[in-house]
Amino acid sequence: MNKKSEVTTSVSKENNPDAQSGSSDRPEFDLTLPEWYLNRELTWLEFNRRVLHEGQDERTPLLERIMFLAIMGGNLDEFFMKRIGGLKQQVGAGVRKLTVDGRTPGEQIDECYAVVRNILVQKEELELELLSKLAEQEIRIVGYQELDKDQRKEVDNYFQENIYPLLTPQGMDPAHPFPFISNLSINLLVVTKYHHDAHPFLNRIKVPTGVGIPRFIRVGEEHLYIRFEDLIANNLAVVFPGLVVDSCTFFRVTRNAITEQAGANANDLLEVIETALRNRKFAEIVRLEVDAKMSATHRGMLAAELGIDEEKDVFTVEGIIGKRDLFEIASIDIPEFHYPLHQPLDHFQLSGDSPNIFHVIREKGALLLQHPYESFDSSVQRFLREASRDPKVLAIKMTLYRTSAGSRIIPYLLDAAQNGKQVAVVVELMARFDESANIRWAENLEEAGVHVTYGVVGLKTHSKVIFVVRRDFDGLRRYAHIGTGNYHAGTARMYSDLGILTSDRVIAQDLTELFNYLTTGYAPERNYRKLLPSPRVLKKALLEKIEREIASHSTKNPGKIQFKTNALEDKDITAALYRASMAGVQVDLLIRDTCRLRPGLPGLSENVRVISIVGRFLEHSRIYYFQNNGEEEYFIGSADIMKRNLEDRVEVITPVEPEELRKVLREILDVQLADQRSAWEMQPDGRYIQRTSKREKGSHDILIEKAEKRLSDAQALCRLEQKRLVKRKKGQRKK
């Protein structure tokens, strides 16, 4: 083992003699060495192996297995656009700096490609298996040639009426240069010739998307589908009349999405983002996918025209190109092929005929929200809806990172402005792939008189906060929602997130300081008493709390740290957790995807376990727990343990102090750490092994049941109180 005595980390007896009995035998580890850190990109790909496994697992309902296959397709698209695109930029810029795990950008690309190609083989095997199983259940995706005469006539008529007018065939010859190929579009490469002439003509047809035509076109009344591009390919005689179609194959390109310009000196951030979006459209290509029937000549021609390495950057696809579109099939409404229906419930203290939500928060205390187990609409959207209409509400402030067209968030903000309230919204324009939507939201809000700002130059605003100022009977009172997830009605039904509704006066004061920072961009002496915002406070606070846990640990009073987060990427926090393990502190990490730390290494991380939960919901919440010598601390918020979140973003982590809410967080952590259905445990080499037992219920199902019981118990108590009230009134009338 490589050690450097001048830069070693060990545990000193002097700090806590009781904790260090036998510590002189402990080896010393140089925590600067790359061998202790796993690669960010490779561990993210390992997460996608676990996602793929949900599609391979026969316990998963059939259409949900299709959904996981579609998720994998979308995830790999994003991986190439963001991660491979960024690495290729580094290679192009001559970056030689090694990552903390000791790899160059080029080495990371090569290793990622090897893993990706292995995953693709499994993906294509799974596609064949699932299409066969769908066919057994009379859900079939077929080729045009498999249709009978009447079915062909039906789809040919559909082509003539709905598709043909939208097509723009483009020739490729000296008079028609190679056309621009848009990102993630499905394209046909068509070779034609005259009947009595062997000279070939190359043509490209883009499959028109976003025009209301599904990728999988339904044929007849049964669940029989044909692919959009297959229908075009079998009607080329209409597109090229009088010509012989020699061949038709499909291809798809992926472009780099990392195109933002540095905004530190930008005079107009909105203009910078709009320019970046235009640049992204024409960004370099990082991947070419071709179907297996394409000739080597045409494959090489496309690679040359697109400026990519044919050997490395071209991927042959057996089966459906662009598997993310299988979401259309996964959404078929056949209940027995889906997970049991889960309808998000009202929070038990907001159910029934509960009064004004601000009265509930003031009288009941803080409320902890669990999505999607509890309804986003009847809690978060209700909070904003009532704030927009309540005549006693004077001001609403909010951060907006992502939202959806189906969400009522924007209309409620517009209503609030029209109702004469002061409304200020911090819109993050650089939320990846949501930039265009956020620009539109910002413009709509500004037109309605909302104060719109774009946060602090050079920092993404990733925090999830709504802040309401209300004139209560006893003066001004501030209310807030602080969450782990975006204000997005769609993801609130699929992502596992947490939020807190509170009127805590100290938290409210901290939020006043935070919004003043966001709307001015200045950070003078802003003292936060409870919140842990980044970039100035959070990382330092986490490191201090880890060191405090080390210092207070003893055999009589063992320390414990538990983090639940999407990623553990920051080297400093990882090294601190290694030190905690070496000191004997138990470290439990629920990490969804990227994790640099290697658990279970003797002497270094034998007190650490890393668990990943993959199931019907996407784990997205963040919980930070410190045993703190018996004075336990719980925090929730928007930040993952990544360098970018801790140093380059505005995040908000809030303490959860009411005992009844801490019990719920403890329950979540305990349920997920004990999961035997959806949990994967990381091995020292970075591999994951799925836990298996006869218990079929995973943590998501258990948490659904617990949410149902909370609501049921609250309703039963309410009925009991009503009976008591009726009995009391009867007794009063008798008197």
Side-chain angles (χ1 to χ4, degrees):
M1 184 176 292
N2 191 355
K3 306 184 189 79
K4 295 180 182 177
S5 58
E6 69 274 17
V7 198
T8 56
T9 297
S10 62
V11 181
S12 170
K13 288 184 184 180
E14 297 175 2
N15 292 339
N16 192 341
D18 180 54
Q20 306 308 325
S21 55
S23 65
S24 60
D25 297 330
R26 287 183 179 274
E28 294 182 339
F29 293 88
D30 180 357
L31 295 182
T32 67
L33 293 178
E35 64 196 76
W36 309 128
Y37 303 92
L38 296 169
N39 180 261
R40 170 183 170 177
E41 320 305 346
L42 294 173
T43 59
W44 192 87
L45 288 173
E46 283 299 316
F47 162 64
N48 280 278
R49 286 190 192 276
R50 302 193 290 280
V51 173
L52 183 63
H53 184 273
E54 287 298 301
Q56 296 167 328
D57 194 330
E58 293 186 356
R59 295 175 297 176
T60 305
L62 180 56
L63 288 174
E64 303 295 345
R65 295 176 70 182
I66 296 289
M67 182 194 69
F68 282 108
L69 184 60
I71 290 171
M72 270 296 301
N75 283 358
L76 287 182
D77 288 346
E78 188 168 326
F79 181 75
F80 275 90
M81 286 189 285
K82 293 170 62 175
R83 304 310 312 159
I84 296 297
L87 290 170
K88 282 182 174 287
Q89 280 187 337
Q90 293 178 40
V91 171
V95 174
R96 298 182 179 179
K97 183 179 178 181
L98 301 181
T99 57
V100 299
D101 50 277
R103 290 173 170 83
T104 66
E107 287 172 340
Q108 292 181 81
I109 292 174
D110 291 343
E111 290 188 58
C112 286
Y113 274 13
V115 175
V116 166
R117 292 186 186 280
N118 178 267
I119 289 175
L120 290 177
V121 171
Q122 295 182 53
K123 245 176 74 174
E124 288 164 0
E125 290 174 352
L126 178 60
E127 178 187 334
L128 286 173
E129 177 190 346
L130 294 182
L131 291 182
S132 175
K133 288 185 176 298
L134 285 174
E136 291 172 7
Q137 302 300 329
E138 301 299 323
I139 303 171
R140 294 186 294 143
I141 302 172
V142 301
Y144 179 90
Q145 301 302 325
E146 297 175 67
L147 300 177
D148 63 31
K149 183 178 178 181
D150 291 339
Q151 291 168 336
R152 290 187 191 183
K153 184 177 180 180
E154 176 189 339
V155 296
D156 288 346
N157 288 337
Y158 184 88
F159 172 84
Q160 288 281 0
E161 295 176 9
N162 297 283
I163 298 175
Y164 180 48
L166 299 172
L167 300 183
T168 306
Q170 295 173 287
M172 291 180 278
D173 56 40
H176 302 89
F178 191 82
F180 171 78
I181 310 297
S182 55
N183 186 41
L184 301 182
S185 61
I186 305 292
N187 301 271
L188 283 69
L189 181 65
V190 184
V191 181
T192 59
K193 61 184 179 182
Y194 289 108
H195 283 279
H196 304 295
D197 189 344
H199 178 72
F201 299 94
L202 284 177
N203 307 272
R204 175 256 186 163
I205 301 176
K206 176 183 175 181
V207 177
T209 57
V211 293
I213 299 174
R215 174 78 187 281
F216 299 95
I217 299 169
R218 191 167 183 174
V219 184
E221 299 300 319
E222 303 300 321
H223 286 293
L224 178 67
Y225 301 88
I226 180 174
R227 286 177 291 156
F228 195 160
E229 65 271 24
D230 190 26
L231 181 54
I232 297 173
N234 283 277
N235 277 271
L236 292 175
V238 178
V239 183
F240 300 101
L243 293 175
V244 175
V245 176
D246 196 50
S247 69
C248 175
T249 51
F250 308 116
F251 69 96
R252 181 175 185 254
V253 304
T254 309
R255 292 183 179 271
N256 184 8
I258 310 296
T259 58
E260 291 117 16
Q261 303 174 16
N265 298 313
N267 293 321
D268 188 340
L269 184 58
L270 185 61
E271 182 178 338
V272 169
I273 301 303
E274 289 175 331
T275 300
L277 288 174
R278 288 193 293 271
N279 291 344
R280 183 182 296 169
K281 180 179 179 181
F282 300 99
E284 69 170 328
I285 290 170
V286 296
R287 177 181 61 167
L288 168 64
E289 296 170 280
V290 301
D291 81 36
K293 296 178 182 178
M294 183 174 288
S295 70
T297 300
H298 291 154
R299 174 188 173 115
M301 180 275 295
L302 285 176
E305 291 287 355
L306 296 170
I308 61 174
D309 186 318
E310 181 183 356
E311 183 179 346
K312 290 185 177 181
D313 300 325
V314 181
F315 293 79
T316 300
V317 178
E318 298 278 355
I320 297 170
I321 292 180
K323 290 181 177 57
R324 66 177 188 166
D325 292 332
L326 283 166
F327 279 117
E328 292 179 12
I329 301 299
S331 65
I332 293 173
D333 186 14
I334 304 178
E336 59 264 37
F337 299 146
H338 286 285
Y339 290 120
L341 180 65
H342 167 61
Q343 184 67 35
L345 306 169
D346 289 343
H347 186 281
F348 71 96
Q349 289 185 318
L350 297 174
S351 63
D353 299 324
S354 57
N356 182 299
I357 195 169
F358 302 106
H359 296 176
V360 176
I361 298 168
R362 188 178 65 231
E363 294 166 11
K364 302 279 189 180
L367 311 180
L368 186 70
L369 311 173
Q370 293 185 56
H371 311 299
Y373 312 107
E374 293 166 342
S375 169
F376 177 80
D377 178 63
S378 65
S379 56
V380 178
Q381 289 196 153
R382 174 184 171 183
F383 179 68
L384 191 57
R385 178 176 67 247
E386 292 192 19
S388 71
R389 300 171 183 175
D390 189 331
K392 293 184 179 180
V393 169
L394 306 178
I396 301 172
K397 301 180 183 183
M398 181 177 180
T399 59
L400 193 62
Y401 189 74
R402 298 187 198 275
T403 189
S404 62
S407 173
R408 295 293 301 166
I409 295 296
I410 300 298
Y412 292 150
L413 292 170
L414 296 174
D415 288 347
Q418 291 167 2
N419 290 336
K421 304 181 191 309
Q422 183 186 118
V423 184
V425 180
V426 181
V427 178
E428 178 47 67
L429 294 181
M430 293 189 289
R432 185 88 62 200
F433 307 126
D434 276 347
E435 298 96 334
S436 295
N438 284 5
I439 288 172
R440 290 196 303 273
W441 300 135
E443 290 171 345
N444 292 341
L445 291 167
E446 283 187 317
E447 289 174 3
V450 173
H451 301 294
V452 176
T453 57
Y454 305 122
V456 181
V457 173
L459 301 175
K460 276 191 178 182
T461 303
H462 190 248
S463 49
K464 329 294 185 186
V465 181
I466 302 173
F467 186 51
V468 173
V469 181
R470 186 176 189 270
R471 186 176 298 284
D472 283 4
F473 69 94
D474 56 350
L476 289 184
R477 183 184 287 264
R478 290 167 285 192
Y479 298 83
H481 171 266
I482 303 173
T484 68
N486 298 304
Y487 295 110
H488 192 295
T491 58
R493 295 182 68 90
M494 298 182 292
Y495 289 16
S496 171
D497 271 306
L498 293 166
I500 188 170
L501 291 169
T502 181
S503 61
D504 182 286
R505 294 185 184 277
V506 178
I507 289 176
Q509 180 59 43
D510 284 355
L511 286 174
T512 301
E513 295 295 324
L514 177 79
F515 274 99
N516 287 344
Y517 169 54
L518 289 171
T519 55
T520 65
Y522 304 120
E525 295 298 322
R526 297 196 185 277
N527 296 315
Y528 298 98
R529 294 161 58 191
K530 285 191 177 182
L531 296 184
L532 304 178
S534 66
R536 288 176 171 253
V537 177
L538 178 56
K539 183 171 180 176
K540 179 182 177 183
L542 290 176
L543 289 170
E544 288 176 348
K545 290 176 185 298
I546 293 170
E547 294 302 326
R548 180 192 63 192
E549 207 70 23
I550 293 171
S552 65
H553 170 78
S554 69
T555 52
K556 294 179 180 178
N557 189 18
K560 181 180 287 187
I561 297 169
Q562 294 179 324
F563 291 169
K564 173 174 165 48
T565 179
N566 298 331
L568 170 57
E569 180 267 346
D570 184 83
K571 180 182 179 181
D572 298 328
I573 301 292
T574 303
L577 293 173
Y578 276 139
R579 291 194 296 272
S581 174
M582 293 166 65
V585 176
Q586 178 62 42
V587 180
D588 295 327
L589 301 174
L590 285 159
I591 310 293
R592 185 187 73 194
D593 48 77
T594 296
C595 181
R596 287 201 184 276
L597 185 147
R598 298 174 58 191
L601 294 171
L604 177 63
S605 57
E606 58 197 13
N607 294 310
V608 183
R609 56 176 171 166
V610 177
I611 295 167
S612 174
I613 303 290
V614 181
R616 68 181 295 181
F617 302 130
L618 179 72
E619 287 299 322
H620 194 251
S621 57
R622 293 91 169 182
I623 305 173
Y624 298 96
Y625 167 80
F626 299 91
Q627 197 272 339
N628 190 25
N629 203 24
E631 299 293 324
E632 297 176 303
E633 292 182 335
Y634 290 85
F635 299 85
I636 66 169
S638 60
D640 292 313
I641 311 175
M642 304 181 74
K643 182 179 174 66
R644 71 184 188 193
N645 297 79
L646 300 175
E647 300 181 12
D648 299 316
R649 292 186 173 188
V650 180
E651 307 274 9
V652 172
I653 298 292
T654 181
V656 177
E657 296 175 320
E659 185 59 31
E660 61 273 19
L661 306 192
R662 290 148 70 97
K663 288 179 180 177
V664 177
L665 293 179
R666 169 49 45 206
E667 183 176 74
I668 293 171
L669 291 172
D670 289 347
V671 165
Q672 295 214 316
L673 288 168
D675 192 318
Q676 298 296 319
R677 164 62 178 87
S678 306
W680 295 72
E681 198 145 6
M682 185 194 273
Q683 307 305 298
D685 61 1
R687 292 180 303 110
Y688 283 79
I689 295 177
Q690 188 180 36
R691 290 177 176 172
T692 55
S693 78
K694 294 182 180 179
R695 290 175 53 189
E696 286 295 313
K697 286 185 180 178
S699 54
H700 295 158
D701 292 326
I702 293 171
L703 291 172
I704 287 173
E705 291 177 355
K706 288 184 176 294
E708 290 172 345
K709 188 175 187 307
R710 282 195 300 273
L711 181 60
S712 175
D713 289 349
Q715 290 172 337
L717 182 61
C718 181
R719 288 193 296 269
L720 182 61
E721 290 295 329
Q722 288 174 345
K723 288 180 180 178
R724 287 173 178 171
L725 181 60
V726 170
K727 188 175 181 180
R728 192 179 305 122
K729 287 181 178 179
K730 286 182 178 178
Q732 290 173 348
R733 284 198 297 269
K734 288 180 180 179
K735 290 181 180 179

